[in-house]
Amino acid sequence: MAKFFSRRTTGLMAAAAASMLVLSACSSSGSDSASDTIKVSLITKDQTNPFFVAMIKGAKAKATELGVELTVASGKEEGDEAGQIAAIENAISAKHAGILITPMSVNVNSAITKAREAGLYVIALDTPTDPADIVDITFATDNCEAGQLIGQWAAKKLNGQKATIALLDIFDDRMVSVDYCRDNGFLAGMGIDVANPKIMGDEAKTGNYSGGAYEIVGNIATGANEEGGRTGLEKLLSKNKKINVVYTINEPTAAGACAALKAAGITAVVVSVDGGRAGIENVKSGCIGATSQQYPLKMADLGVQAIFDFIKNGTKASVSEGLDFFNTGVTLITDDPQDGVASEGADYGIQNAWG
């Protein structure tokens, strides 16, 4: 089983609440009674990552359309579970109808359960909870599929060369679904046996992938940001300068990895997940070989609509067939298509990019 490191969330909640970034996008439905206005909280992991900026934009647009009063809150940074817990507590106290949340980890599960027990309709966006039924429903990318697509592409791109792999994840002190699903999905797509799909780093470090031999230099936590991607890959390159495949958790991390490769004078296949405008521009420039595009505005749009429909008429959203969440879709974007791996070009990616 994965080990989750606990945090002293109770003691941190007051400080996190004080420093929390809170925005309001209020759009009155025109009713004279405040009780007629549906109030919803969107709680993201942070408000600086372009992915969450796009998600906030999508939620605000739908809230304005429906006359929903939207409060946006977040932790200070990736990993700030106390900030998310404080935001959940605030939504309960304010008697909001529902919460949309990109959950940081299982450490926010108890707070989510408390919200549901208080009568709030809770929806996860982007990051499925573990277990899935902690929330009412999740709207997310199939992150396992996203990882598999870039893994399949990378295996084909290598064309039988030995794969010397660097894995740039979010965390190294906990296991969260976005992290392990993309990482292990990538390895599975490469044709590498994954020991436990919910644990990163327990696969054999050497062996064979679908095209030949492989060696995993290591997993390293980056915080899912550009600086973490740069310093993380620098550390792995100091161990092995033959790295020729770099998996990155997202496109900011990939940008940092590209900077590290350029500084070291090393060429490698870099793959990622996101599909933001800056990331697709990095596909066009050649920094990123392929990325799996996801759709955060759609997640947020569907989430706000689902809470509105539930409050107005009791209708509950349904999961996609065969899954325990609603799949908002994923598309592999590359300007170097490989046989047998479905993809679209960077121009398509730009047309459908967020951010």
Side-chain angles (χ1 to χ4, degrees):
M1 295 293 292
K3 182 176 181 181
F4 298 94
F5 289 74
S6 63
R7 295 198 172 192
R8 294 177 293 171
T9 54
T10 303
L12 292 172
M13 280 171 57
S19 62
M20 187 181 303
L21 301 171
V22 180
L23 305 171
S24 290
C26 301
S27 177
S28 172
S29 62
S31 170
D32 293 330
S33 172
S35 62
D36 291 338
T37 302
I38 296 173
K39 298 179 180 181
V40 174
S41 282
L42 170 62
I43 304 170
T44 58
K45 294 177 181 177
D46 63 49
Q47 293 181 31
T48 57
N49 186 315
F51 183 87
F52 299 123
V53 172
M55 183 176 284
I56 291 167
K57 180 180 178 181
K60 283 184 175 181
K62 178 57 73 169
T64 298
E65 175 188 329
L66 297 176
V68 167
E69 183 178 311
L70 182 72
T71 296
V72 180
S74 71
K76 292 177 291 184
E77 60 188 359
E78 184 83 45
D80 180 14
E81 294 151 341
Q84 287 202 326
I85 292 168
I88 294 168
E89 295 281 1
N90 289 341
I92 297 170
S93 297
K95 301 186 184 303
H96 285 190
I99 292 172
L100 303 167
I101 184 168
T102 59
M104 205 72 74
S105 75
V106 296
N107 291 335
V108 302
N109 282 5
S110 294
I112 290 173
T113 298
K114 182 178 179 181
R116 293 182 70 192
E117 289 173 346
L120 282 73
Y121 192 65
V122 183
I123 297 173
L125 302 178
D126 177 54
T127 306
T129 54
D130 187 6
D133 61 4
I134 287 294
V135 292
D136 288 283
I137 192 171
T138 296
F139 292 101
T141 305
D142 187 335
N143 284 296
C144 296
E145 179 186 4
Q148 288 169 358
L149 286 170
I150 55 177
Q152 290 167 359
W153 180 88
K156 291 282 190 177
K157 173 66 176 174
L158 287 171
N159 194 30
Q161 296 179 62
K162 179 182 177 181
T164 305
I165 303 169
L167 299 167
L168 304 186
D169 303 311
I170 308 175
F171 299 119
D172 59 9
D173 63 350
R174 74 203 81 172
M175 299 289 165
V176 297
S177 58
V178 166
D179 219 2
Y180 64 66
C181 223
R182 292 182 186 178
D183 178 298
N184 286 328
F186 163 76
L187 293 174
M190 287 278 294
I192 296 171
D193 289 335
V194 174
N196 184 328
K198 291 190 174 183
I199 296 178
M200 298 181 299
D202 64 346
E203 65 281 337
K205 297 301 179 269
T206 59
N208 291 311
Y209 75 101
S210 59
Y214 78 85
E215 175 186 355
I216 294 175
V217 177
N219 296 66
I220 199 157
T222 67
N225 59 63
E226 185 169 346
E227 177 63 16
R230 184 183 63 80
T231 59
L233 187 56
E234 285 174 349
K235 290 176 184 177
L236 293 179
L237 285 170
S238 71
K239 294 181 179 181
N240 191 331
K241 287 187 165 50
K242 293 183 179 180
I243 288 171
N244 62 352
V245 180
V246 182
Y247 156 82
T248 62
I249 181 66
N250 65 5
E251 290 160 358
T253 306
C258 290
L261 289 168
K262 183 177 181 180
I266 293 172
T267 300
V269 173
V270 178
V271 294
S272 198
V273 178
D274 256 353
R277 184 169 297 275
I280 303 302
E281 291 291 352
N282 276 336
V283 171
K284 291 177 75 70
S285 73
C287 160
I288 298 173
T291 191
S292 289
Q293 186 171 61
Q294 50 182 346
Y295 305 102
L297 279 83
K298 182 178 181 180
M299 296 175 198
D301 181 286
L302 291 172
V304 174
Q305 184 72 58
I307 293 176
F308 180 86
D309 290 344
F310 177 72
I311 299 303
K312 285 294 186 181
N313 54 39
T315 302
K316 289 191 173 184
S318 300
V319 299
S320 298
E321 185 176 355
L323 300 172
D324 56 11
F325 62 94
F326 184 96
N327 184 5
T328 53
V330 62
T331 306
L332 183 71
I333 304 297
T334 181
D335 277 340
D336 186 10
Q338 300 297 314
D339 290 343
V341 186
S343 66
E344 296 287 349
D347 288 341
Y348 174 94
I350 289 292
Q351 291 170 12
N352 292 278
W354 43 266

